[in-house]
Amino acid sequence: MKEIFRLMVVLTTVSALAGFSLAYVNEKTKEPRAYQDRMKLLGSLNTVLPPHGNQPDKDAVTIGPTTYYVSKQNGAVNGVAFETSSDKGYSGLVRVMVGIKPDGEIISIEIVEQKETPGLGSKITEGSFKDRYRGKSLQNARWKVKKDGGDFDQISGATISPRAVTGAVKAGLDAYEKNREQILGGAHVVQ
Amino acid sequence: MSFNSELIRGIWRENPLFVIVLGTCPTLAVSTSVENGIGMGIAATFVLVCSNIVVAAVRKLVPDSVRIAVYIVIIASFVTIVDLVMSAYFRTLYNALGIFIPLIVVNCIILGRAEAFASKNSVFLSIADGIGMGLGFTLALLMIGSVRELLGNGTILGYHLLGGSYVPILVMILPPGAFLTYGTLTAVVKAVNKRI
């Protein structure tokens, strides 16, 4: 009986100490982590949006699950960025940040997160792949990879990952098209 | 049993991957490239040294029958702390290693060394064991990663070494390539050790 009591005391003490130190570290790092998260978001926003004078993460509209980051230059909207994702990749979620002109034409895309096969599917993060989406819109392209009868080149040896990216971007563009009025909110738009 | 001999032991003679065969799951998963191998190796080494220190320090206070539970709590806490601190202060490193950190919890090398070494030896020697085993793990990952990246992608650390006409053997960076490379290298290390 005495032995069991000792085991209980030891395990409880160790768990409590671990709990306290984790809570302490979590609390201490909360602000720096939030700051780093914002820097990361701003970094990917800056790569997909045109030069702007506002803070797009402050001028954001959230509709359903998606947040639309609006970039403005001299008070006029010159771009919108949003994150879209697909679970049709080879492993895990493929998250894509898409930057478009207000009329829906893609400025550029950025892969925020992917766990595709290194050396194969992971090539979707390379510039030569991402550039294929530049200048494309719902109207001027067939949103499928070439193998499925669309306009987007797959990567040799990897069709699934480009298919996931193409599907994600198309879904994002569709959602933008549907909510465009609400996102732009009648603001002055650069043509 | 000096600091140096403990250090060297883990690197080659008792290499955790090729000789003790511990921690194979994360090895098979992340050895697709040299960069991944180094990242996983460094992160695991850090956690291994920290957990070895704490386990060795409390080894006389922990009753035998609950020791495994205590070790797991210690290791899991360290992994979480490393994860939080890196994401807050070393974001570039975190972005490169981030996916490996949670994997360390399930790395048997850490628990294996806590049980086989740190729970029976002083803090000082446990540090040497942690560094040695960590380096041995990193070295092994580096070797497997080099073979797989070179054959499967024609590159080392992203640099093309085999020329443009080389057709990559894709299977080498897919899961079967991990088993093939790991098995072959283990056999080679065994053969070399027999000769010495």
Side-chain angles (χ1 to χ4, degrees):
Chain A
M1 204 54 214
K2 210 176 145 213
E3 178 61 15
I4 286 182
F5 191 68
R6 197 168 79 98
L7 300 184
M8 277 166 58
V9 171
V10 170
L11 261 187
T12 312
T13 317
V14 169
S15 308
L17 279 177
F20 277 124
S21 45
L22 284 181
Y24 177 77
V25 175
N26 185 39
E27 198 53 46
K28 276 280 163 197
T29 56
K30 204 174 240 167
E31 254 176 53
R33 275 187 291 132
Y35 172 79
Q36 297 280 10
D37 285 341
R38 176 159 188 248
M39 284 296 120
K40 192 180 173 191
L41 174 65
L42 284 182
S44 61
L45 286 179
N46 283 337
T47 53
V48 300
L49 285 172
H52 47 266
N54 68 327
Q55 293 184 319
D57 65 325
K58 299 269 161 72
D59 280 328
V61 186
T62 302
I63 298 166
T66 316
T67 303
Y68 295 89
Y69 305 95
V70 180
S71 84
K72 293 175 181 165
Q73 185 73 293
N74 303 324
V77 176
N78 64 357
V80 177
F82 54 84
E83 198 188 296
T84 174
S85 65
S86 166
D87 58 3
K88 300 257 163 61
Y90 201 72
S91 66
L93 212 59
V94 178
R95 290 167 56 205
V96 191
M97 181 69 87
V98 183
I100 54 173
K101 294 179 183 165
D103 65 3
E105 183 188 321
I106 292 179
I107 302 166
S108 102
I109 68 164
E110 189 68 32
I111 310 294
V112 183
E113 187 188 310
Q114 56 89 18
K115 299 188 189 76
E116 302 302 291
T117 316
L120 287 176
S122 71
K123 288 192 175 141
I124 55 173
T125 59
E126 289 175 6
S128 57
F129 176 77
K130 292 185 290 189
D131 284 349
R132 294 172 193 172
Y133 293 86
R134 195 169 300 235
K136 295 285 195 295
S137 67
L138 282 178
Q139 290 76 30
N140 71 7
R142 283 171 296 162
W143 283 86
K144 279 177 176 160
V145 293
K146 286 209 169 132
K147 205 177 195 172
D148 302 337
D151 282 337
F152 293 90
D153 272 323
Q154 55 266 20
I155 299 168
S156 67
T159 310
I160 294 174
S161 312
R163 191 184 277 151
V165 175
T166 306
V169 174
K170 174 169 194 307
L173 290 176
D174 282 339
Y176 171 77
E177 204 59 45
K178 214 169 68 192
N179 298 310
R180 193 198 304 210
E181 302 292 311
Q182 198 183 341
I183 296 160
L184 299 177
H188 183 59
V189 170
V190 175
Q191 291 304 323
Chain B
M1 291 247 279
S2 73
F3 191 85
N4 285 337
S5 71
E6 293 303 334
L7 197 75
I8 292 162
R9 191 173 47 89
I11 297 178
W12 187 261
R13 199 161 52 79
E14 281 186 31
N15 186 289
L17 277 182
F18 294 137
V19 182
I20 311 181
V21 195
L22 276 179
T24 55
C25 168
T27 302
L28 295 171
V30 306
S31 61
T32 47
S33 71
V34 177
E35 192 187 344
N36 282 357
I38 296 175
M40 180 66 179
I42 294 172
T45 306
F46 182 77
V47 175
L48 181 56
V49 172
C50 291
S51 74
N52 261 9
I53 292 173
V54 177
V55 168
V58 300
R59 70 185 187 280
K60 289 191 180 118
L61 303 172
V62 178
D64 252 9
S65 47
V66 292
R67 65 182 194 287
I68 302 286
V70 171
Y71 299 159
I72 289 176
V73 172
I74 291 173
I75 294 165
S77 305
F78 263 118
V79 172
T80 313
I81 288 173
V82 168
D83 191 54
L84 289 173
V85 169
M86 269 178 54
S87 90
Y89 301 107
F90 307 100
R91 198 37 91 94
T92 339
L93 194 65
Y94 180 75
N95 290 339
L97 301 186
I99 49 166
F100 306 130
I101 310 286
L103 275 177
I104 297 174
V105 181
V106 294
N107 191 327
C108 305
I109 297 174
I110 319 264
L111 187 61
R113 293 327 287 170
E115 169 72 3
F117 194 91
S119 62
K120 301 183 184 80
N121 290 283
S122 69
V123 173
F124 185 65
L125 288 180
S126 298
I127 293 175
D129 180 74
I131 298 173
M133 286 290 163
L135 288 180
F137 182 54
T138 313
L139 181 76
L141 280 173
L142 194 71
M143 286 164 67
I144 302 173
S146 305
V147 173
R148 292 183 67 191
E149 192 183 339
L150 190 65
L151 296 179
N153 204 28
T155 59
I156 291 282
L157 282 172
Y159 294 104
H160 285 272
L161 290 185
L162 294 177
S165 58
Y166 177 72
V167 181
I169 310 165
L170 284 180
V171 74
M172 293 309 283
I173 47 175
L174 297 174
F179 285 99
L180 289 174
T181 316
Y182 183 29
T184 313
L185 284 178
T186 307
V188 170
V189 171
K190 277 244 160 82
V192 171
N193 275 347
K194 249 185 192 162
R195 292 272 169 90
I196 314 176

